[in-house]
Amino acid sequence: KFSNGNNSFTNQYNYISPNGSTGSFGALRAEGYYSVSSNPRNTHTQFSSFADHTNGAGKMMIINGSPQNNVTVWAQDITVEPHTSYLFSIWGASVHPANPAKLTFSINGTLLGTIQFSATPGNWHNVSMEGIAGSGTTASIGIVNQNTIANGNDFALDDIVFAPVCRKYFNVSLYPNPPKPGITSL
């Protein structure tokens, strides 16, 4: 959720207010900038108009992708349990149909795999990956942009979750040849 605006995370992009300007189309005309707003159209006149994923009334992070490879879009240091599996999950959507975003999750600098968004603007979809926290009690988690095409490569993020994977183990006894039930007549 980005209901608190531009705080509680870091990145390698330049922040600009949704009302700011980096060119003729609005705040996010220039690559490598991001904003937090309730609608992508508020930040660029050529971005699609749609609501956040959470409840349709909140805010999302809107990004004009950088043409440089491996630029961190979103990052946060969090407290974790050592050697524990975690699920890293985001909701993402393209805000412009050209050249959909290609993003990679990272945990402590280790890239976990690349995902590509749909070209359909406003089509929120969930992407999740599992990773292990390592030996420390703090993990640096991040989302890294892998698309270097300047035209397009514009997207929104919402509802980022990093949560432990809970497993429950059961003791089960299998009886391969159970006795057949008897038939009694009345």
Side-chain angles (χ1 to χ4, degrees):
K1 289 184 176 182
F2 290 93
S3 56
N4 293 330
N6 180 41
N7 56 34
S8 302
F9 62 93
T10 62
N11 61 33
Q12 295 175 322
Y13 277 67
N14 299 301
Y15 174 77
I16 188 164
S17 164
N19 301 324
S21 177
T22 62
S24 57
F25 297 110
L28 295 180
R29 168 62 179 98
E31 286 85 10
Y33 279 81
Y34 78 97
S35 193
V36 176
S37 181
S38 60
N39 187 332
R41 179 70 56 87
N42 295 344
T43 65
H44 192 298
T45 59
Q46 293 184 337
F47 286 175
S48 293
S49 178
F50 59 91
D52 78 312
H53 170 262
T54 310
N55 60 15
K59 294 180 182 177
M60 65 190 100
M61 183 180 189
I62 305 154
I63 301 102
N64 186 334
S66 172
Q68 293 180 311
N69 200 17
N70 293 318
V71 177
T72 300
V73 175
W74 179 94
Q76 190 172 36
D77 291 338
I78 59 169
T79 302
V80 295
E81 290 292 323
H83 307 292
T84 300
S85 292
Y86 281 84
L87 181 70
F88 196 172
S89 173
I90 66 168
W91 285 87
S94 293
V95 298
H96 190 275
N99 302 307
K102 291 179 185 175
L103 302 178
T104 302
F105 294 120
S106 71
I107 299 177
N108 294 325
T110 301
L111 300 180
L112 299 178
T114 302
I115 52 101
Q116 183 164 355
F117 286 4
S118 161
T120 305
N123 182 20
W124 287 106
H125 60 275
N126 180 251
V127 180
S128 300
M129 294 193 180
E130 187 174 331
I132 298 186
S135 61
T137 57
T138 302
S140 296
I141 61 172
I143 301 168
V144 180
N145 187 21
Q146 300 295 340
N147 188 346
T148 59
I149 300 170
N151 181 28
N153 188 16
D154 308 311
F155 54 98
L157 300 176
D158 203 7
D159 298 326
I160 299 170
V161 173
F162 191 75
V165 175
C166 297
R167 291 184 172 92
K168 180 117 178 145
Y169 295 96
F170 298 93
N171 288 325
V172 177
S173 298
L174 298 176
Y175 299 101
N177 294 315
K180 294 181 180 178
I183 300 174
T184 57
S185 330
L186 296 174

